[in-house]
Amino acid sequence: MKRKFTAVLVLGISFLISCTNKQEEIKLQHQDITEMVFASGALEADDQYNLTAQTDGYLIEMNLEEGTIVRKEQVLAVIDNDQNIINSKSAVELHRFASENAKSSAPALQEVEAAIEAAEVKVKLDQQQLERYKRLYESNSISRIEYDNANLMLTNSESVLNALKQKYRNQQIIAREQEVIRQYTSKTGKVLEKQNRITSIRPGKVYMKKKQLGDYVRKGDVIAVIGNPDSIFARLNVDETGMAKLKIGQTVFIKLNTHVDEVYKAFVKQILPAFDEASRTFIVKAYFEKTPEFNITGTQLEANIVIRTKKNVLVIPRVYMNYDHKVMLKTDRKIVKVVPGIVSGEWVEIKKGLNAGQTIIKEAP
């Protein structure tokens, strides 16, 4: 393995020497030049979303395949999570009991109500007793102590009655609170039970199936990718150095990795303002003038965004100019510093420093 690597390295060095010994030259001329911003990216469907699991469990039913069209709220998968079902049924029963306890016919409330009725009778009897003792006291038939004891007995009876009434009100509040809590728990249980059935958010096409029947999934796992089949766009990753030049409506020429001989025309429709941390680029959406027949999402692509075009300007190949914007003339091997203009993929505009008809060489200054 080591011998094979050494042979390749020697061939590479030989090739470099032969190139440097051969002097390349070009005669300057005028031509049109187009400035472009390069971007990589992938095809993506409009309204694309991930169909995700909302609970843990095994996939016991799968009703989707790549390329199939799904309706809104169609059940696409079912997760076997018995705990959600058990909790839901239990919550429904507890809510029913809480509702019964909140009614006036509930045993706890009836018990307090019976005690209130007895206390009301006792108060009434004590009131009658106090009135009788008052007349006897006024006629000096009983002592002051006996009258005061009758008055105290009525006061105690009234206190007991008021306490029982307050207890009844408190019992009602607690019962209603429990009913509300159990009702909320019951609704939550139904929601959790419903999460066993995974449904589509909106109609679309299944572009990618990421789980299979029988797989164990956790909450948040992506089961499939669904999008709008009638609208495919190019999601472009643009370096921040080129963002200042981009505008809505600019023309984009796109090559798909699967169709390298085809060039598709598109237009910049949306420039997302936020920096994408995952790709360390800005995201630009370009929509095709004519949607390609090959519209599988995730297809990798390369794109050139047209910034501007200049007609009949002096240009040289980019490889003939070094990083200091210097080139070498053929006549006397003089090094000249130029003022570049717009830059395309292979060419650079020369605004000052050279004239048409001059010949420059590629050999480094």
Side-chain angles (χ1 to χ4, degrees):
M1 193 71 183
K2 186 179 291 184
R3 290 179 181 177
K4 185 177 180 182
F5 175 77
T6 305
V8 173
L9 180 61
V10 171
L11 288 173
I13 294 172
S14 299
F15 174 74
L16 290 173
I17 293 172
S18 65
C19 288
T20 53
N21 288 336
K22 183 180 178 181
Q23 180 175 290
E24 297 183 37
E25 62 182 54
I26 189 171
K27 190 175 183 178
L28 274 66
Q29 58 184 355
H30 287 81
Q31 67 179 49
D32 298 344
I33 184 172
T34 300
E35 182 181 12
M36 297 184 178
V37 170
F38 175 80
S40 60
L43 290 184
E44 192 168 302
D46 248 348
D47 301 325
Q48 184 170 303
Y49 66 94
N50 293 329
L51 187 74
T52 58
Q54 299 300 307
T55 188
D56 301 346
Y58 290 97
L59 287 169
I60 58 173
E61 187 176 325
M62 291 282 282
N63 304 315
L64 56 89
E65 293 294 339
E66 285 94 345
T68 57
I69 303 298
V70 298
R71 306 183 309 275
K72 182 180 179 181
E73 297 182 353
Q74 179 180 340
V75 178
L76 301 180
V78 177
I79 296 175
D80 181 23
N81 191 320
D82 293 336
Q83 184 176 352
N84 285 348
I85 298 173
I86 294 170
N87 290 342
S88 176
K89 291 181 178 179
S90 174
V92 169
E93 285 299 309
L94 290 173
H95 177 226
R96 186 176 65 80
F97 291 144
S99 298
E100 291 294 327
N101 290 334
K103 294 179 180 179
S104 58
S105 58
L109 290 175
Q110 283 190 330
E111 181 181 350
V112 179
E113 191 173 6
I116 290 173
E117 291 176 357
E120 287 175 340
V121 172
K122 180 70 166 58
V123 168
K124 189 174 182 179
L125 291 174
D126 288 344
Q127 286 175 340
Q128 293 174 351
Q129 181 76 345
L130 180 62
E131 290 176 0
R132 189 169 69 84
Y133 270 50
K134 183 179 180 182
R135 291 192 299 269
L136 292 173
Y137 175 71
E138 288 174 349
S139 62
N140 294 321
S141 299
I142 60 173
S143 65
R144 177 71 184 187
I145 295 176
E146 290 175 308
Y147 174 72
D148 288 342
N149 287 337
N151 195 14
L152 181 60
M153 186 176 294
L154 175 62
T155 301
N156 290 337
S157 298
E158 289 174 340
S159 297
V160 170
L161 176 61
N162 291 333
L164 288 171
K165 288 181 177 180
Q166 184 61 44
K167 182 179 179 181
Y168 187 85
R169 288 192 291 269
N170 291 342
Q171 192 76 23
Q172 280 184 317
I173 292 172
I174 292 172
R176 288 169 184 167
E177 286 179 348
Q178 286 298 312
E179 182 184 17
V180 171
I181 292 172
R182 294 303 179 185
Q183 183 182 33
Y184 172 79
T185 306
S186 176
K187 289 181 178 180
T188 303
K190 290 179 180 178
V191 170
L192 293 176
E193 183 180 0
K194 190 178 178 181
Q195 288 177 353
N196 286 9
R197 299 164 64 85
I198 304 170
T199 59
S200 53
I201 300 173
R202 47 181 173 263
K205 179 179 180 180
V206 179
Y207 282 99
M208 186 180 297
K209 181 179 175 182
K210 294 195 171 184
K211 297 293 181 182
Q212 302 297 326
L213 185 67
D215 285 351
Y216 184 84
V217 294
R218 296 189 180 278
K219 184 177 180 180
D221 285 354
V222 178
I223 295 173
V225 179
I226 300 174
N228 182 357
D230 299 323
S231 181
I232 302 294
F233 68 91
R235 180 184 174 94
L236 306 178
N237 302 108
V238 180
D239 187 80
E240 56 187 340
T241 56
M243 284 300 297
K245 302 176 182 179
L246 300 191
K247 295 179 182 178
I248 301 298
Q250 288 174 329
T251 302
V252 185
F253 294 104
I254 296 173
K255 277 190 176 183
L256 304 177
N257 286 9
T258 52
H259 291 64
V260 293
D261 296 329
E262 297 285 339
V263 177
Y264 300 93
K265 188 177 181 180
F267 300 95
V268 174
K269 186 175 181 181
Q270 188 177 6
I271 301 173
L272 303 187
F275 186 73
D276 185 61
E277 291 292 342
S279 62
R280 305 299 298 172
T281 60
F282 284 91
I283 304 300
V284 175
K285 292 184 177 181
Y287 285 75
F288 292 91
E289 183 179 49
K290 182 181 179 182
T291 304
E293 295 179 2
F294 186 81
N295 57 2
I296 298 178
T297 60
T299 302
Q300 299 299 301
L301 59 86
E302 292 182 351
N304 282 299
I305 305 170
V306 178
I307 305 303
R308 54 178 171 161
T309 299
K310 278 191 174 183
K311 301 288 185 179
N312 195 31
V313 296
L314 189 65
V315 298
I316 65 170
R318 292 180 64 178
V319 294
Y320 280 73
M321 182 178 69
N322 67 14
Y323 292 106
D324 293 330
H325 301 158
K326 293 178 181 179
V327 299
M328 180 179 286
L329 296 176
K330 179 184 177 182
T331 53
D332 53 2
R333 300 181 67 84
K334 181 181 179 181
I335 297 174
V336 178
K337 186 165 185 177
V338 298
V339 178
I342 67 174
V343 180
S344 69
E346 299 178 2
W347 300 88
V348 56
E349 175 195 7
I350 302 300
K351 300 175 74 174
K352 288 183 181 180
L354 294 174
N355 298 310
Q358 289 181 299
T359 301
I360 59 174
I361 59 177
K362 190 177 179 182
E363 189 174 13

